[in-house]
Amino acid sequence: MPIVSLQGVTKTYPPTTRDGAPVVAVDDVTLDIEQGDVFGIIGYSGAGKSTLVRLINALEPTTRGRLIVDGVDITTLRERDLRRIRGGIGMIFQQFNLFSAKTVKANIAYPLRLAGWSKADIDARVAELLAFVGLSDKARAFPEQLSGGQKQRVGIARALATRPAILLADEATSALDPQTTHEVLELLARVNREQGITIIVITHEMDVIQTLATRVAVMECGRVVEQGDVFEVFSDPQNPASQRFVGTVVKGVPTPAEQASLRARHDGRLVTFSFRDGDSSQAQVFLDLAEAGLEFELVFGGINDIRGRAFGHLTLAIRGDSPAIDAALARIRAHATVTEIGSDAPAGPAAAEGGVA
Ligand SMILES: Nc1ncnc2c1ncn2[C@@H]1O[C@H](COP(=O)(O)OP(=O)(O)OP(=O)(O)O)[C@@H](O)[C@H]1O
Ligand SMILES: [Mg+2]
């Protein structure tokens, strides 16, 4: 059974101007998040990601649909029962949201005090959490004495204090530099691996999804336009919005500007071959071209690794007579994705299979 299940969930806000229309922030979203997943939610600003998180966290009521968290349909619960649900969900934020007047230790102890833990239990738990996030020497420091990465580690320790089953991270690394982002992502991966906590990561940073998530949902205008295994979505995105996002991080796909530059620099027909481990082999493409007596040159490409699986895109300039090239490409299409970079048409694996001539 999924730990979080949304079934046709919609959230509508009243109009923000007197004659405006209601704002549909989340529009008929259906998705399941399995226990132990690191589930990424990605989308441009205003797509509805944070709203979705506030619904899962039971901070706001849904307008329509069913939302089941840990086996309980929270759309039917009263405030008193919702508080218990919220206790089972930890949350970390872009701006860390630490209490600046409290020490690190007091920040982490805060949810435990609210939950009525004894002082001895609180002390033991805080020490354990500080060790886990690598900040045992900072117990008495105040947030302003910490770096951004250290603040977020305090945020993570505080979110984990009451042993939640789910951790929600809304743009948790967006205020951090790349190196610190990497450290915080490592820590989140450990939280998931060592404590089995289901993590829901909301971000507009595709590389965060690429390194951390197992599954991903892409949101646009309140809707989930694509969801699935991260490798599947990254190596073969189906929706135009997913293709735009994926194109920003995936190596080997020439942008329109790069395509123009390739066309200016190389003779012959430019063709991008896309490979995924488990399906076709690149070697076969080279063999097919050589067997057809075609001359070719590798002009652009890249191989991507996601969670130990590889996929890549190689662009070749192929020279020879056109019917021979057509015949070879027809053979190759049986085992690889082939996209021709035509004169002015969009290309890349984003374009329809077979591409444009
Ligand atoms: N309380 C509210 N009242 C009215 N409209 C709202 C409210 N909260 C959010 N919205 C609207 O809902 C839509 C989705 O907002 P949301 O904050 O969920 O987007 P987001 O994907 O998290 O964006 P960002 O990446 O900028 O954080 C936006 O159009 C926003 O203006
Ligand atoms: Mg947001």
Side-chain angles (χ1 to χ4, degrees):
M1 194 174 60
I3 190 162
V4 176
S5 180
L6 291 91
Q7 297 161 15
V9 168
T10 293
K11 176 67 182 181
T12 308
Y13 291 111
T16 42
T17 55
R18 198 134 60 91
D19 45 3
V23 181
V24 185
V26 170
D27 189 2
D28 194 20
V29 166
T30 294
L31 61 85
D32 285 342
I33 299 174
E34 301 296 331
Q35 159 78 47
D37 268 357
V38 179
F39 197 99
I41 298 175
I42 185 120
Y44 289 112
S45 185
K49 306 179 298 292
S50 296
T51 305
L52 194 69
V53 165
R54 289 196 299 273
L55 300 180
I56 295 173
N57 211 0
L59 288 175
E60 289 183 15
T62 56
T63 309
R64 254 197 319 279
R66 271 157 57 86
L67 207 173
I68 296 158
V69 177
D70 226 350
V72 181
D73 183 351
I74 64 170
T75 49
T76 62
L77 293 186
R78 280 181 312 214
E79 182 57 30
R80 191 166 47 103
D81 302 308
L82 286 177
R83 241 171 279 152
R84 209 185 56 246
I85 296 289
R86 280 180 214 131
I89 302 180
M91 177 111 188
I92 55 175
F93 308 88
Q94 179 170 6
Q95 298 306 332
F96 321 120
N97 296 17
L98 302 178
F99 300 107
S100 55
K102 290 186 196 288
T103 62
V104 164
K105 181 181 168 187
N107 266 281
I108 300 173
Y110 184 78
L112 300 172
R113 284 178 38 212
L114 278 190
W117 287 39
S118 74
K119 183 170 181 323
D121 287 347
I122 291 177
D123 285 349
R125 180 67 178 144
V126 171
E128 184 179 45
L129 288 159
L130 282 170
F132 181 75
V133 301
L135 289 176
S136 298
D137 56 334
K138 298 287 185 194
R140 300 153 85 85
F142 286 89
E144 65 180 21
Q145 299 170 307
L146 303 179
S147 70
Q150 290 170 333
K151 282 183 205 163
Q152 194 56 292
R153 285 193 267 161
V154 175
I156 291 170
R158 184 180 60 183
L160 297 180
T162 56
R163 305 185 192 282
I166 301 168
L167 179 64
L168 297 175
D170 191 353
E171 301 287 1
T173 56
S174 301
L176 305 175
D177 64 61
Q179 172 60 31
T180 312
T181 292
H182 181 74
E183 286 164 19
V184 169
L185 295 181
E186 288 275 294
L187 178 59
L188 290 174
R190 268 180 61 214
V191 167
N192 173 253
R193 201 170 57 232
E194 294 173 18
Q195 309 192 13
I197 293 176
T198 305
I199 303 184
I200 304 176
V201 203
I202 286 77
T203 184
H204 62 271
E205 299 174 300
M206 277 308 262
D207 46 345
V208 169
I209 302 294
Q210 191 174 8
T211 34
L212 191 64
T214 49
R215 298 182 64 77
V216 64
V218 182
M219 287 190 78
E220 194 178 43
C221 303
R223 294 184 153 264
V224 168
V225 294
E226 182 161 357
Q227 58 174 308
D229 175 83
V230 171
F231 182 85
E232 296 297 329
V233 173
F234 273 60
S235 62
D236 191 17
Q238 301 295 315
N239 177 274
S242 322
Q243 289 163 358
R244 277 197 305 277
F245 276 119
V246 165
T248 62
V249 287
V250 161
K251 290 183 287 225
V253 183
T255 63
E258 284 163 339
Q259 291 177 23
S261 149
L262 289 174
R263 274 197 300 273
R265 282 186 290 133
H266 300 281
D267 306 329
R269 277 163 67 176
L270 292 176
V271 183
T272 300
F273 299 92
S274 303
F275 309 93
R276 306 205 298 173
D277 68 3
D279 16 89
S280 57
S281 80
Q282 310 172 24
Q284 190 58 44
V285 169
F286 293 126
L287 282 176
D288 286 340
L289 292 173
E291 239 164 54
L294 297 168
E295 195 187 306
F296 57 89
E297 183 188 356
L298 175 57
V299 297
F300 200 90
I303 309 289
N304 302 271
D305 183 297
I306 294 186
R307 312 176 66 75
R309 293 181 64 193
F311 67 94
H313 308 282
L314 299 179
T315 300
L316 306 186
I318 306 175
R319 284 179 283 273
D321 65 281
S322 243
I325 297 178
D326 287 335
L329 293 183
R331 253 196 318 283
I332 294 169
R333 278 200 182 97
H335 62 82
T337 301
V338 177
T339 312
E340 271 207 69
I341 301 178
S343 44
D344 283 311
E353 181 162 358
V356 280

